[in-house]
Amino acid sequence: MSRSVRTRPEGSGQALSEAYDTALLDLDGVVYAGGSAIGYAVESLAEARAGGMRLAYVTNNALRTPDTVAAHLTELGIPTGADDVITSAQAVARLISEQVPQGARVLVIGGEGLRVALRERGLVPVESADDDPVAVVQGYGGPELPWGRFAEASYAVARGVPWFASNTDLTIPSGRGIAPGNGAAVEVVRIATGAEPQVAGKPLPPMHRETILRTGAKRPLVVGDRLDTDIEGAFNGEVDSLLVLTGVTDGAQLLAAPPQHRPTYVDADLRGMLSGQPEVQEAGDGGFRCGGWTATAGADRLELDGEGEALDGLRALCAVAWTAAGEGVCELDAEKALARLGL
């Protein structure tokens, strides 16, 4: 993928599962939600795998080990091995291991996923700032993580110990709604110390590097539901991406997306991996056409004419908004057009 500014979703004459060798799949909002599989996910992933595509599951959640994630996916009907799971805990453990001696002590503020990842890199997890750690690592520790753990991190960081974070997602989805994520916990230590951590997780390069090292992907496709982690991570890694609308991103957010948050492809769910993608064409006078829809910029809003698949209308609207974003078109009222599409 070029780093040039994307002005429209791309088309593909091939099914995406044939055009790319590896799918780098986010989990929450893409494969499952609240612990249950999202509609069409199990069947779509099975068909993609049967066609020869490698499936790798890439998560910023550092709490669970790859074995635990793989077992959960297998239980949902998606056969998965631990080697198919890449976590931000693994990415941050590699980042630390490149900067400290083998066998060094690392203060862990988080869960078992971090401890397992550190041991994999030959590092020794410790629990106290008084255990002479050479680094501090912070990852999501779940809702029961004691407040005192943040104090331990703050003591060590204030003494000048290098500080690392698996990721800085401010929120994390749960079965009861949106909860504070590791980014919120990182803010606690930042406020207490004034320091800044080195961060490994999506959308930053260490996470993408970890996925490529572990999968050996030559032509990967990032599949996600979040613009600021999944899609931006693909942009930073200079690879293509598929946004699915089963998670947190809605139509209005997509139309207003800055260049680094614009996916290569847009589809409703993981069935989009199994098909080609329609082409978005110029329709004259600054308009764009996709399927049976034509989108243009009106005096104060995005206009949509025609009929057909709702996603085609959304793709056409994206092209208008993204093409003229510098002229403020992305700020025009798109509510009526999106409502017509049911989005």
Side-chain angles (χ1 to χ4, degrees):
M1 181 184 88
S2 169
R3 293 284 295 235
S4 59
V5 174
R6 183 177 303 286
T7 58
R8 70 187 81 173
E10 290 186 13
S12 174
Q14 281 183 290
L16 300 184
S17 57
E18 298 172 359
Y20 299 88
D21 68 348
T22 306
L24 305 178
L25 295 131
D26 184 46
L27 289 171
D28 284 309
V30 175
V31 178
Y32 54 65
S36 300
I38 286 173
Y40 308 106
V42 174
E43 307 92 319
S44 298
L45 293 172
E47 188 171 338
R49 187 190 309 107
M53 189 182 214
R54 174 158 188 197
L55 306 179
Y57 301 95
V58 185
T59 177
N60 261 0
N61 190 329
L63 177 61
R64 298 193 296 171
T65 66
D67 282 319
T68 301
V69 174
H72 179 208
L73 289 170
T74 300
E75 190 176 285
L76 293 178
I78 305 168
T80 306
D83 290 345
D84 299 321
V85 179
I86 299 94
T87 73
S88 63
Q90 293 171 322
V92 77
R94 187 186 298 272
L95 188 63
I96 296 168
S97 71
E98 293 170 342
Q99 300 180 41
V100 305
Q102 187 83 355
R105 297 181 175 193
V106 179
L107 173 59
V108 175
I109 312 300
E112 187 62 16
L114 275 178
R115 294 179 178 85
V116 169
L118 289 169
R119 293 188 189 105
E120 182 185 22
R121 291 282 149 218
L123 301 172
V124 179
V126 297
E127 302 301 316
S128 171
D130 296 332
D131 290 331
D132 297 322
V134 301
V136 178
V137 64
Q138 191 168 357
Y140 183 65
E144 306 306 320
L145 187 69
W147 185 259
R149 302 307 298 152
F150 304 139
E152 289 299 323
S154 299
Y155 300 148
V157 172
R159 295 170 188 168
V161 176
W163 178 28
F164 297 81
S166 63
N167 68 296
T168 52
D169 296 18
L170 291 173
T171 62
I172 189 169
S174 76
R176 297 176 60 193
I178 300 299
N182 191 54
V186 166
E187 285 300 312
V188 172
V189 178
R190 181 186 280 120
I191 291 167
T193 64
E196 291 290 335
Q198 295 185 52
V199 184
K202 295 184 285 187
L204 297 173
M207 188 66 169
H208 181 72
R209 180 180 60 147
E210 191 72 19
T211 64
I212 299 304
L213 287 171
R214 288 180 179 270
T215 64
K218 302 299 183 185
R219 185 163 167 74
L221 177 70
V222 171
V223 184
D225 70 310
R226 295 183 71 115
L227 301 179
D228 60 348
T229 53
D230 306 315
I231 305 307
E232 185 175 341
F235 176 87
N236 290 337
E238 299 188 50
V239 299
D240 289 344
S241 59
L242 167 65
L243 177 77
V244 291
L245 301 177
T246 48
V248 301
T249 300
D250 61 23
Q253 292 168 329
L254 181 59
L255 296 184
Q260 70 272 23
H261 290 174
R262 296 173 186 171
T264 313
Y265 311 105
V266 180
D267 221 306
D269 50 55
L270 288 180
R271 288 176 294 178
M273 294 171 55
L274 307 176
S275 62
Q277 294 288 310
E279 186 178 358
V280 180
Q281 301 173 318
E282 293 187 28
D285 297 325
F288 289 88
R289 180 174 59 252
C290 185
W293 298 99
T294 299
T296 56
D300 59 356
R301 62 175 55 87
L302 293 175
E303 304 282 1
L304 189 65
D305 294 309
E307 59 182 15
E309 295 290 334
L311 278 169
D312 289 339
L314 179 61
R315 295 177 181 115
L317 287 169
C318 283
V320 176
W322 296 354
T323 298
E327 301 171 20
V329 173
C330 64
E331 299 177 0
L332 294 179
D333 181 12
E335 184 177 357
K336 184 177 179 180
L338 290 171
R340 186 175 177 189
L341 297 172
L343 297 172

